[in-house]
Amino acid sequence: AAILRDWHPISTEPFDRDLQVSVIEEGEVHALAFPCRRTQDGWMDVTTRKPILIDPTHWREWPNRTSN
């Protein structure tokens, strides 16, 4: 349970915001090392603006996110 403390279920992810996404399987976090953003077309890598083919299970705020 402690492993999920900072992570939210993917069903609650906000659109158009930089997030860290992960797949959590058998108690292990497999987080992507780059910011991702969910758009109307699916998930994309914020850095390259290219789509990513992943079905994340959880999300959290991108650690280096700056306030607007």
Side-chain angles (χ1 to χ4, degrees):
I3 199 163
L4 297 176
R5 181 179 19 182
D6 297 332
W7 295 95
H8 306 283
I10 204 65
S11 61
T12 64
E13 92 282 353
F15 277 81
D16 293 323
R17 203 155 99 198
D18 294 356
L19 304 173
Q20 183 172 34
V21 297
S22 69
V23 175
I24 299 177
E25 295 176 332
E26 298 180 19
E28 290 188 30
V29 176
H30 304 281
L32 296 182
F34 49 86
C36 298
R37 185 173 282 223
R38 176 130 189 239
T39 67
Q40 295 297 327
D41 297 322
W43 290 98
M44 74 169 195
D45 178 335
V46 172
T47 309
T48 65
R49 307 298 253 185
K50 293 183 179 181
I52 56 171
L53 302 176
I54 186 173
D55 290 320
T57 60
H58 292 78
W59 70 274
R60 65 181 175 187
E61 295 291 334
W62 180 250
N64 297 324
R65 184 168 184 246
T66 56
S67 300
N68 293 339

